[in-house]
Amino acid sequence: MKTDTSTLSSHPPLGGGLGGPVGFLLLLLLVSCQPEPSPYPDLHWQRMADFPDGGRSSAAACVAEGKAYVMFGRRAAKSQFMRDCWAYDPAADRWEERSPCPGHGRVKPVAVAVGGRVYAGLGYTDTTFVHMPHTLYQDSLYLRDWWCYDPAGDGWTEETPAPFQGTDACVAFAYGGEVYVGLGYGALYPFAREWWRYAPADRQWTRVEDFPGAVRTGAVLCSDGERVWTGAGFNTYNLRDWWEYRPATGEWRERCAMPDRGRVNGTAICLDGRVLVTGGRAFHGELTGGGVIGEVLEYDPEGDTWYRAGDLPGGGRENAVGFTIGNCGYIGLGEDDDGLMGDVWRCSQTP
């Protein structure tokens, strides 16, 4: 299957665009590679309470003690990098504003819950709100600060800063009472493949096994508690490879690639043993075009197979948040080509 390996480009389409012979062949290949419908129970979607602060993109989210915490992100197209924190109670379907982080407002941070506390930080900030090209290479805008939020006391404590460079649009998960962070983007060494482990007990960072695939930023990740799946992202072109990681042994294993043209800034969740990926953006390329993605793909770990599991009812989006509480998954916020989004959707296997 031919994948879209081009970047945002001003070059004319090859072969006369999608109407030419090369484009026609590519369309045939794409159709032939479409995944089969999922054989597992249908996903049922329900719209929940909207995020109360309007649209929000590039925030971080995690679950601690049965509630979701959404923090940071962007509230306008090129301004308002936020440092606020909101708690979502699924039983009451209600949002509550909590104390803001004392650090900078930022986009594309990470947040992971360990032992009832939330560890969050990293990301990118731009105090000028201008986003000029030169700011992409200004190291001070790629944040390394690391914070602990205590939901019980509604307070923040600054932790040991991250010792690595690629802190923008990383992915993260918890295992064995520790936080793992990897991939990402930085000013000095742009695309990363490093993985680091943070131990809250001694507040120390330790480098662990590097990701064996290509360097990247804006990947997706989810975990069932023992296995971790990550892939996709961007490193001058869209990526669609898929990997399984076992933190207990440090073993990486490449799995079946995603059956699409690649994506960046997508969202992944684990729901009752099911691995679901949706959202993100396929950057415009010379052959396949681009745009935000609304299709829900399902990865079957046992069969190493991808299926199609429907569409996200709120529409395609990138830079959304996703989390799981009990036997329900939640996906929302983000942005599409028309602007920021604040809707939140719950999915489950039963109506």
Side-chain angles (χ1 to χ4, degrees):
M1 175 176 172
K2 173 72 172 179
T3 58
D4 182 359
T5 57
S6 55
T7 62
L8 288 166
S9 173
S10 60
H11 296 295
L14 298 176
L18 289 178
V22 175
F24 180 72
L25 176 60
L26 178 64
L27 284 175
L28 289 177
L29 290 171
L30 285 171
V31 170
S32 67
C33 291
Q34 291 300 307
E36 295 291 327
S38 175
Y40 300 108
D42 291 341
L43 297 175
H44 298 274
W45 295 90
Q46 180 180 355
R47 186 164 182 172
M48 309 307 291
D50 287 1
F51 188 68
D53 196 36
R56 181 67 62 92
S57 173
S58 303
C62 67
V63 174
E65 304 298 329
K67 292 184 178 181
Y69 293 88
V70 176
M71 55 196 68
F72 304 115
R74 175 169 48 78
R75 195 167 59 180
K78 291 187 177 180
S79 64
Q80 293 183 290
F81 281 33
M82 306 300 294
R83 59 187 185 92
D84 54 353
C85 175
W86 295 80
Y88 175 72
D89 181 349
D93 187 27
R94 184 176 62 216
W95 292 91
E96 176 188 4
E97 188 169 13
R98 310 302 297 271
S99 296
C101 177
H104 292 288
R106 67 196 68 203
V107 293
K108 300 185 178 179
V110 297
V112 178
V114 172
R117 295 172 181 256
V118 175
Y119 293 86
L122 314 183
Y124 174 85
T125 193
D126 187 347
T127 55
T128 65
F129 305 131
V130 175
H131 298 288
M132 298 298 290
H134 69 273
T135 64
L136 294 176
Y137 306 102
Q138 187 172 331
D139 182 59
S140 62
L141 300 181
Y142 294 85
L143 301 175
R144 302 183 183 92
D145 55 335
W146 191 239
W147 297 85
C148 175
Y149 173 69
D150 178 10
D154 191 27
W156 293 83
T157 303
E158 189 165 12
E159 300 278 313
T160 305
F164 48 93
Q165 304 288 333
T167 58
D168 179 34
C170 299
V171 289
F173 65 93
Y175 178 80
E178 298 178 320
V179 179
Y180 290 70
V181 181
L183 311 180
Y185 188 91
L188 302 181
Y189 304 96
F191 298 104
R193 63 161 51 92
E194 294 180 12
W195 281 89
W196 290 78
R197 181 179 66 230
Y198 183 74
D202 57 14
R203 303 176 63 181
Q204 293 295 316
W205 291 92
T206 303
R207 187 168 178 175
V208 295
E209 303 81 6
D210 282 357
F211 175 65
V215 294
R216 71 194 63 203
T217 189
V220 300
L221 180 145
C222 63
S223 172
D224 66 358
E226 296 296 329
R227 297 173 292 180
V228 177
W229 294 278
T230 188
F234 184 82
N235 71 355
T236 72
Y237 59 89
N238 298 314
L239 298 165
R240 65 184 191 94
D241 55 337
W242 191 246
W243 296 79
E244 178 182 306
Y245 177 59
R246 304 247 181 181
T249 61
E251 176 189 5
W252 285 98
R253 186 181 182 189
E254 187 169 15
R255 310 300 286 159
C256 178
M258 298 179 67
D260 60 14
R261 54 192 169 175
R263 71 185 70 201
V264 62
N265 302 330
T267 306
I269 60 172
C270 282
L271 175 64
D272 286 340
R274 301 174 68 173
V275 178
L276 306 174
V277 179
T278 190
R281 176 176 293 273
F283 274 117
H284 176 78
E286 295 175 342
L287 298 177
T288 62
V292 293
I293 300 169
E295 181 182 50
V296 180
L297 294 177
E298 175 168 1
Y299 175 69
D300 181 352
E302 311 313 321
D304 190 26
T305 303
W306 288 92
Y307 298 109
R308 191 183 192 282
D311 294 286
L312 187 63
R317 65 193 68 202
E318 62 177 323
N319 296 316
V321 298
F323 50 86
T324 302
I325 303 177
N327 59 358
C328 293
Y330 296 79
I331 294 175
L333 314 187
E335 59 190 316
D336 61 12
D337 292 331
D338 295 322
L340 302 184
M341 308 172 79
D343 54 333
V344 178
W345 295 84
R346 181 179 71 189
C347 80
S348 63
Q349 299 189 94
T350 56

